[in-house]
Amino acid sequence: MLFSRKNPDIVEEGPSVERGSKRKNPFAPVFKIAGLVVLSLLVLITILNSVYMLQEDEYAVIRTFGATQVVEQPGIKFKIPYLQEMRKVSKAAKQFAVGYDLNTGESLDKESFMITKDYNFVNVDFYFEYLITDPIKYFYASEDPEEVVKNLAQSYIRDTVGTHSVDDVLTTGKYEIQTLVKTLLQERLEMEDLGITVTNAVIQDAEVPTTEVAAAFKNVEDAKQGMDTAINNANADANTRIPKANADADKIIKNAQARKEALIAEAEGQAARFNSLYAEYINYPLITRQRMFYETMEEVLPGMQIYITDGKTQTLLPLDDFGSVTVENGTTPQTSTGSGQVPTGDAPAQDNTDAAATPDQEGGNDNE
């Protein structure tokens, strides 16, 4: 039975309908709320996927349908959600180690154990630093670039250590080895074009695997240090002695030069004196000879007294010293050191006679 819509008092005949057949679904509000939540989450995820923050020390690589580009400027950036893929990578230097765990410091013998050129075993630990210079190549040129770089580093370390002696690896050859390893590794990375540049390669530690060998090498190193110390001390002593020896040699040379100049000056003076005496001798030969004789006697026998004896008695007859002499004209020339006269006698008279005759003869010769 139905009621008329125009007049509710009139009851119309019709099919009967059960009450409650058109009741509302009680879970409809829940579904509606859930739908709103899902939609809100979808919108939030979309917004978050559209905005990203780029730090100063980061690269961002944006890939759109296979095409890539690098974003370097820091700040808030936007991208197309679900269509563009974004990956970040740090600009800062990264590190890895060969021969030990970089985080725990634990030694890894399988990486550090190697053999040298002279067939000795050593454990060598290396520390590397590298920069990502091309983030696109870094992400897409290889599946695991860090592992590739580490494997290449291990290979070049073993090759380089194998060309050096154990003494070089443990002592003086470390700088050469690490420099060569860095150079070879960087050349290979440029060849592989991985977008990575090695900035540092350092030998952290190098040691022999046994205690006995380590002690022997320590003794060798101590001996080398002692040798270097001795050489440095010798060089220091040489640097002290050589200037002194040079100064002494210079002093000797200068003294010899002064002595040479003095002797030359004295010789020149003697030669000038001789020339002057020769000139006097040419004019007055007898007087010059007598003067030279007396001067020589004064030098040879200064202040000497002459005694005459017959060889039998003890009586000695003193004579005056050679200080003066009486020449043929009766004068007594004085000398610088003596004042006495030569005694007259038979011998001196004979000498004077001869001396007196000689000038006449020479004068005659001169006249002739």
Side-chain angles (χ1 to χ4, degrees), residues 183-211:
T183 302
L184 294 174
L185 180 58
Q186 181 57 37
E187 291 177 354
R188 182 60 182 274
L189 291 177
E190 292 176 357
M191 185 185 303
E192 298 294 336
D193 201 16
L194 298 178
I196 295 176
T197 300
V198 177
T199 59
N200 194 18
V202 180
I203 296 179
Q204 286 292 94
D205 192 15
E207 60 182 7
V208 292
T210 61
T211 306

Side-chain angles (χ1 to χ4, degrees), residues 108-330:
L108 303 175
D109 292 338
K110 65 179 181 180
E111 295 182 0
S112 64
F113 192 76
M114 55 195 71
I115 189 170
T116 61
K117 180 179 69 174
D118 49 358
Y119 305 104
N120 287 292
F121 296 103
V122 291
N123 287 328
V124 181
D125 297 336
F126 257 87
Y127 170 81
F128 290 91
E129 290 183 352
Y130 66 94
L131 291 174
I132 299 174
T133 54
D134 192 332
I136 296 177
K137 294 178 181 178
Y138 175 78
F139 282 126
Y140 302 109
S142 64
E143 183 177 356
D144 191 351
E146 284 89 355
E147 189 66 21
V148 173
V149 174
K150 186 172 182 179
N151 291 335
L152 291 175
Q154 291 185 57
S155 175
Y156 286 119
I157 290 172
R158 293 184 182 277
D159 290 343
T160 306
V161 171
T163 60
H164 289 75
S165 65
V166 65
D167 191 33
D168 293 336
V169 176
L170 297 178
T171 56
T172 58
K174 289 183 178 180
Y175 179 78
E176 179 183 355
I177 292 173
Q178 63 191 25
T179 302
L180 184 57
V181 169
K182 176 185 174 183
T183 302
L184 294 174
L185 180 58
Q186 181 57 37
E187 291 177 354
R188 182 60 182 274
L189 291 177
E190 292 176 357
M191 185 185 303
E192 298 294 336
D193 201 16
L194 298 178
I196 295 176
T197 300
V198 177
T199 59
N200 194 18
V202 180
I203 296 179
Q204 286 292 94
D205 192 15
E207 60 182 7
V208 292
T210 61
T211 306
E212 293 79 6
V213 178
F217 277 103
K218 184 178 183 302
N219 293 334
V220 172
E221 184 64 19
D222 293 341
K224 287 186 176 180
Q225 292 180 359
M227 179 187 70
D228 294 339
T229 301
I231 292 174
N232 293 334
N233 292 336
N235 291 332
D237 186 62
N239 293 333
T240 302
R241 291 176 178 270
I242 289 176
K244 184 177 182 301
N246 291 334
D248 294 341
D250 186 63
K251 181 180 179 181
I252 292 173
I253 292 174
K254 289 182 179 180
N255 291 338
Q257 188 69 24
R259 177 64 177 169
K260 169 187 173 182
E261 294 175 357
L263 291 176
I264 291 175
E266 183 180 357
E268 291 176 350
Q270 293 290 343
R273 180 174 177 273
F274 178 80
N275 290 333
S276 64
L277 288 175
Y278 181 72
E280 293 293 330
Y281 178 80
I282 294 298
N283 296 326
Y284 307 102
L286 178 61
I287 297 175
T288 304
R289 283 201 302 268
Q290 289 178 348
R291 178 183 174 186
M292 292 174 64
F293 173 75
Y294 297 140
E295 289 179 354
T296 302
M297 288 300 102
E298 287 180 354
E299 294 178 0
V300 175
L301 306 172
M304 180 175 291
Q305 299 290 330
I306 299 177
Y307 297 89
I308 300 176
T309 180
D310 57 0
K312 297 179 181 179
T313 63
Q314 297 296 327
T315 302
L316 301 177
L317 303 177
L319 298 177
D320 293 336
D321 58 348
F322 286 93
S324 60
V325 67
T326 302
V327 294
E328 65 274 7
N329 56 5

Side-chain angles (χ1 to χ4, degrees), residues 9-49:
D9 296 333
I10 300 175
V11 178
E12 296 181 356
E13 296 292 335
S16 62
V17 179
E18 297 181 356
R19 184 183 300 177
S21 60
K22 290 187 176 181
R23 293 176 60 187
K24 294 183 178 180
N25 188 354
F27 298 101
V30 176
F31 291 146
K32 184 176 182 180
I33 294 174
L36 292 175
V37 170
V38 170
L39 182 61
S40 300
L41 290 176
L42 183 60
V43 171
L44 180 61
I45 293 173
T46 302
I47 295 174
L48 293 177
N49 197 26

Side-chain angles (χ1 to χ4, degrees), residues 92-103:
K94 296 186 176 183
Q95 307 86 24
F96 72 91
V98 175
Y100 68 101
D101 191 322
L102 191 61
N103 297 322

